[in-house]
Amino acid sequence: MTSNAAPAANLMPWPAHVDWRDGALAIDAAFRVRVAGHDDARLRAGIGRALDRLEKRAGITFGPRFVASGGTLVVTCENAGSSLPKLGDDESYTLAVGAAGAELRAPNVVGALRGLETFLQLVEKRADGSFAAASVVIEDAPRFPWRGLMIDVARHFQPPEVIHRNLDAMAAVKMNVLHLHLTDDQGFRIESKRHPELHAVSAGSGVLTQEQVRAIIAAAAERGIRVVPEFDVPGHATAWLASHPEIASVPRNYTVAKDWGVLNPVMDPTKLETEALLSSFFAEMAALFPDEFFHIGGDENNGKDWNASERITAFKKGHGFATNEALHAWFNQKLAAMMTPHGKRLVGWDEVLHPDFPRSAVVHSWRGPESLAQAAQQGFAGILSAGYYLDLHYPAADAYAADPLPADSKLTPEQAARVLGGEAPMWSEWADARIYDFRIWPRAAAVAERLWSLREVRDVADMYRRLARIDELLVETGVQHRAWPRFEGFSPEDAAALRVLASAVEPVKRYQRGQIQKGGLDYPLNELADWAHSESRPAREFAARLETWLALPTEKRAGERDALLTNLAAWRVAAARVAQMPAPDKYAAGRIETARRLVALCDAAEHALHAPLPVDEAARVGELVKTAAKPTAAAVEFPFLPALGRLFAEASR
C-alpha cells in the first residue's frame, strides 16, 4: 500500500495505491457522466444507481445524466467482461479525480462498478454545505477473489427484500459472493418443481420461489456478485426427512425442528432412494443457479444415527470403512460425480476435508486459518469463515485481525494461491427479518476490507474511524440496519430509555445466549439482547476515552473528566427509568436487573473519577464488578467493564 499525506479519507475497503493531490472536484447540478469505450445496459444501470445515491446525499438533481462529449466523470471500459460473474474476474480499476473532472478506467464493467463505489465514498460535504470529491489518483484491485456474505434463510426465513437490499450494501463495500444457506433442520426454503413436497412440508414461514431466485441472481450479476447456493447434506437434514423419511438413517416420525443445535437426524447415504432424490433435486438446482460452485454443507454430522443403524454399520464393514468419516468421504465422492455433468464444483464445510474428497472442490473453513492451510497443503482450494461469524457478536476489530493468509503463514506460493478468500456468515437462529440487517452492518464492512485490501492495512483505530462514516453511507443503499430496534409496545419515554440502555450493552458472545435463553423458531426476538448492537459504538468509545484518561498524569485529568461524567449520567438516568419498569417474564426481569447493575456501576465510576475509594467501598465495588460480569437472563454484557475495572483498581490503591 502506498499513500501520500491524505485528507481524513473515509474509503473502505482501502485501495491498493492512493496518491492524494491538491484540490477537489465540486459536485453540483452541472455534474454529468460520459461513457467512453465499451457501453452497455449493466454499466449504465450501475452508473444510474450511483447517481441516485449521489443526488440524495447532496440534495441535487443532475438533469441529463449522460453526455456524448465532455462530462464531469468519464467512465472507460475496455469490454463487458463476464455476463455472469465468475471466480477470478478482473475487478481492477484506476480512478483519477482533479478539480476539472474525474476519469474512471477499468478492463470491464465489474471493475468500473467497483471504482464507482470508491468515487461515491470520496464525495464529502464541505464546511460551506457544498459537496466535493478530493483530488486523488487511485490504482486498485482486490487481494482475494472470493469475498462473501452468507445469508441464512433456513432458520428464520429472510424474504427477497432482505436479500435484495443486502446486495446493494455488499456492492458498496466490494463484496462479490452471496452464499444462500437454503436448507437446514428448521426449514426447506426453496421451491422445487420436481419435488414440491420438500418445501410444501418443510418451508414453514416462507419459501423463495424459483422466480424470486432468478430475480436475485439477476440483481446480483448486475452488481458483479456471484450467488452460491447451499443445500446441507447429509446432516442438518431434518427438513429433508420430514417429507422423505425413507432416506433417513433411523426410522422416526420426522417433523421440522423448532429448536437449534447439532441434531441427530441424518440421511442414509447407502440407500438408492437417497441418491435418486438428491440426483433429481440437485440437477434442478444446478439449472437454476448458474454459478460454478455448489455448496453441500457437510458439517456437524455427529454420527449417532449412523452408528445406530444396523444397515449402515453392515455397509461400512462390507466396504472396509473403519470410520464414519470414511463413509462421509465416500458419500461426497458420489455427490461430486453427480454434479460433474452439470459443470459444478463442490464446496463443503471443514468436515468434508478428506484425502478422498475431489481436489476440484473447495473447503469452507469454520475452524480457522490452520484448517484452511491444511486444505491448501493437501491441494484443495479454500475459503475462511472462522473469525467472521457476524451472529457471534464479535467486534469488528476481531474480524479485522482474522486473515485467510496471515503474515506468519508457512504456505508456499503455490499453496497460498489456493486460498481464495473468505465469507462472513450470518446465521439466523437469533435474527429474523426485522433484525437481520442490524446484525450484519456495519461490521461486515471490516470483513470486506480484510478480504479486499492489502495485508498491511491493519490500523484498527483508523478502521473504526472510517467504519463510522461507512455506517452512514450504507443507509443510502437501502439496507435497514438503522431501522431497528422499534420498541413495539413501549411509550416514547420508555423507548428512549431502553434505547440508551441498549447502547451500554452488547449481546453475549459466541453461543452463550442459547445457554441462557431457550430460543427457537417460536421465540419472540424482542428483548434487550435483540435491541443491543453486536458491537456498541458508544460503549467502545467510552471505554477508549476512559483508558486514555487513566493514562494521563493526575494533574491533566480534570479537563478530560467531563465527557466521561456526561456519558455516565446519561446511562444512569436511562437505566434508572428502566429499572422501574414492570417485569412480566424472566427475560424482562433480566433486563431490569441489567439496568440496576448499570446504575450501580455508573454511581461507582462517578465516585472513582473524583476521588479514591475508601477501603469498604473498594471491596463493595470489587464485588459489584464480579456480579456485573455474570450475564443476567437478558443475555447481555457490559463491554466497557474491563476499563471500569482498571478505574476501580486505581481508585482503590
Side-chain angles (χ1 to χ4, degrees), residues 254-447:
Y254 289 95
T255 59
V256 172
K258 297 291 186 181
D259 299 326
W260 322 124
V262 179
L263 308 183
N264 295 341
V266 60
M267 295 176 178
D268 184 339
T270 72
K271 288 184 176 179
L272 293 178
E273 295 93 333
T274 305
E275 182 177 355
L277 175 62
L278 293 181
S279 179
S280 175
F281 175 77
F282 281 176
E284 180 185 14
M285 293 298 107
L288 178 62
F289 290 92
D291 196 76
E292 175 186 7
F293 295 91
F294 197 88
H295 206 305
I296 57 167
D299 60 319
E300 296 185 325
N301 170 21
N302 63 24
K304 291 182 178 180
D305 276 9
W306 280 0
N307 294 336
S309 167
E310 293 182 2
R311 172 193 175 91
I312 294 174
T313 299
F315 184 91
K316 287 164 56 181
K317 183 177 181 180
H319 286 73
F321 298 149
T323 64
N324 285 333
E325 289 73 20
L327 175 61
H328 196 166
W330 173 85
F331 175 66
N332 287 335
Q333 285 181 299
K334 291 177 70 68
L335 293 181
M338 187 185 295
M339 300 309 297
T340 298
H342 303 292
K344 302 298 185 184
R345 293 175 62 183
L346 298 189
V347 186
W349 297 100
D350 267 328
E351 289 89 334
V352 303
L353 182 59
H354 189 278
D356 294 333
F357 198 42
R359 290 304 189 275
S360 62
V362 176
V363 175
H364 191 169
S365 178
W366 61 268
R367 291 174 176 165
E370 297 81 7
S371 170
L372 188 64
Q374 182 184 1
Q377 288 165 345
Q378 294 183 24
F380 295 101
I383 52 178
L384 181 69
S385 278
Y388 303 145
Y389 274 56
L390 301 171
D391 58 298
L392 299 187
H393 310 299
Y394 290 131
D398 285 17
Y400 206 56
D403 196 309
L405 278 173
D408 61 355
S409 172
K410 300 300 190 295
L411 296 180
T412 67
E414 180 183 6
Q415 293 167 345
R418 299 185 187 119
V419 177
L420 303 178
E423 287 184 2
M426 180 55 217
W427 299 101
S428 66
E429 289 99 327
W430 296 96
D432 59 19
R434 300 168 303 164
I435 305 171
Y436 207 69
D437 299 4
F438 182 71
R439 289 288 175 241
I440 297 173
W441 306 105
R443 289 176 302 139
V447 179

Side-chain angles (χ1 to χ4, degrees), residues 357-527:
F357 198 42
R359 290 304 189 275
S360 62
V362 176
V363 175
H364 191 169
S365 178
W366 61 268
R367 291 174 176 165
E370 297 81 7
S371 170
L372 188 64
Q374 182 184 1
Q377 288 165 345
Q378 294 183 24
F380 295 101
I383 52 178
L384 181 69
S385 278
Y388 303 145
Y389 274 56
L390 301 171
D391 58 298
L392 299 187
H393 310 299
Y394 290 131
D398 285 17
Y400 206 56
D403 196 309
L405 278 173
D408 61 355
S409 172
K410 300 300 190 295
L411 296 180
T412 67
E414 180 183 6
Q415 293 167 345
R418 299 185 187 119
V419 177
L420 303 178
E423 287 184 2
M426 180 55 217
W427 299 101
S428 66
E429 289 99 327
W430 296 96
D432 59 19
R434 300 168 303 164
I435 305 171
Y436 207 69
D437 299 4
F438 182 71
R439 289 288 175 241
I440 297 173
W441 306 105
R443 289 176 302 139
V447 179
E449 175 156 294
R450 177 50 53 234
L451 298 175
W452 176 283
S453 302
L454 299 178
R455 180 194 289 143
E456 293 74 20
V457 179
R458 306 200 66 83
D459 187 328
V460 173
D462 189 63
M463 179 274 289
Y464 273 120
R465 179 189 64 77
R466 291 178 287 119
L467 188 64
R469 176 57 175 156
I470 297 304
D471 190 7
E472 299 171 1
L473 295 184
L474 284 167
V475 175
E476 297 176 357
T477 70
V479 73
Q480 299 293 303
H481 66 301
R482 291 192 169 191
W484 177 262
R486 300 186 186 126
F487 298 112
E488 297 100 334
F490 294 96
S491 70
E493 296 78 12
D494 285 351
L498 289 168
R499 188 177 298 278
V500 174
L501 174 64
S503 77
V505 298
E506 294 173 358
V508 290
K509 308 297 187 256
R510 287 188 60 79
Y511 302 101
Q512 292 183 69
R513 188 174 181 183
Q515 300 166 10
I516 298 170
Q517 300 178 353
K518 183 176 182 297
L521 281 177
D522 300 327
Y523 185 84
L525 298 171
N526 195 28
E527 252 302 338

Side-chain angles (χ1 to χ4, degrees), residues 67-136:
V67 292
S69 62
T72 317
L73 171 64
V74 179
V75 180
T76 304
C77 290
E78 295 176 13
N79 55 64
S82 307
S83 57
L84 282 169
K86 65 180 189 299
L87 181 70
D89 280 347
D90 189 344
E91 299 176 81
S92 65
Y93 66 92
T94 60
L95 175 64
V97 180
E103 183 176 16
L104 171 60
R105 289 184 170 271
N108 55 51
V109 171
V110 171
L113 297 177
R114 305 298 182 241
L116 284 168
E117 296 296 344
T118 300
F119 180 78
L120 284 174
Q121 291 179 5
L122 286 168
V123 177
E124 296 278 4
K125 190 174 184 178
R126 296 191 282 193
D128 63 1
S130 65
F131 285 79
S135 292
V136 68

Side-chain angles (χ1 to χ4, degrees), residues 90-241:
D90 189 344
E91 299 176 81
S92 65
Y93 66 92
T94 60
L95 175 64
V97 180
E103 183 176 16
L104 171 60
R105 289 184 170 271
N108 55 51
V109 171
V110 171
L113 297 177
R114 305 298 182 241
L116 284 168
E117 296 296 344
T118 300
F119 180 78
L120 284 174
Q121 291 179 5
L122 286 168
V123 177
E124 296 278 4
K125 190 174 184 178
R126 296 191 282 193
D128 63 1
S130 65
F131 285 79
S135 292
V136 68
V137 175
I138 292 173
E139 298 175 3
D140 201 11
R143 181 183 173 205
F144 292 108
W146 192 306
R147 309 178 306 280
L149 172 68
M150 191 214 75
I151 292 183
D152 175 10
V153 302
R155 272 63 174 264
H156 281 99
F157 179 64
Q158 310 303 324
E161 56 267 26
V162 172
I163 299 171
H164 278 284
R165 66 189 182 227
N166 275 283
L167 284 172
D168 280 314
M170 290 172 65
V173 293
K174 302 180 176 64
M175 284 180 152
N176 68 349
V177 180
L178 171 65
H179 169 181
L180 291 176
H181 182 78
L182 294 162
T183 68
D184 213 296
D185 292 303
Q186 295 79 22
F188 202 101
R189 306 294 192 171
I190 189 163
E191 176 191 29
S192 171
K193 296 185 183 297
R194 289 188 180 182
H195 300 280
E197 70 282 357
L198 287 167
H199 64 270
V201 171
S202 301
S205 58
V207 63
L208 293 176
T209 68
Q210 294 195 10
E211 181 181 3
Q212 290 169 336
V213 168
R214 291 189 184 95
I216 290 167
I217 293 169
E222 196 171 61
R223 291 155 177 79
I225 297 173
R226 299 165 39 225
V227 180
V228 175
E230 180 186 352
F231 307 98
D232 213 343
V233 296
H236 284 286
T238 310
W240 291 84
L241 306 181

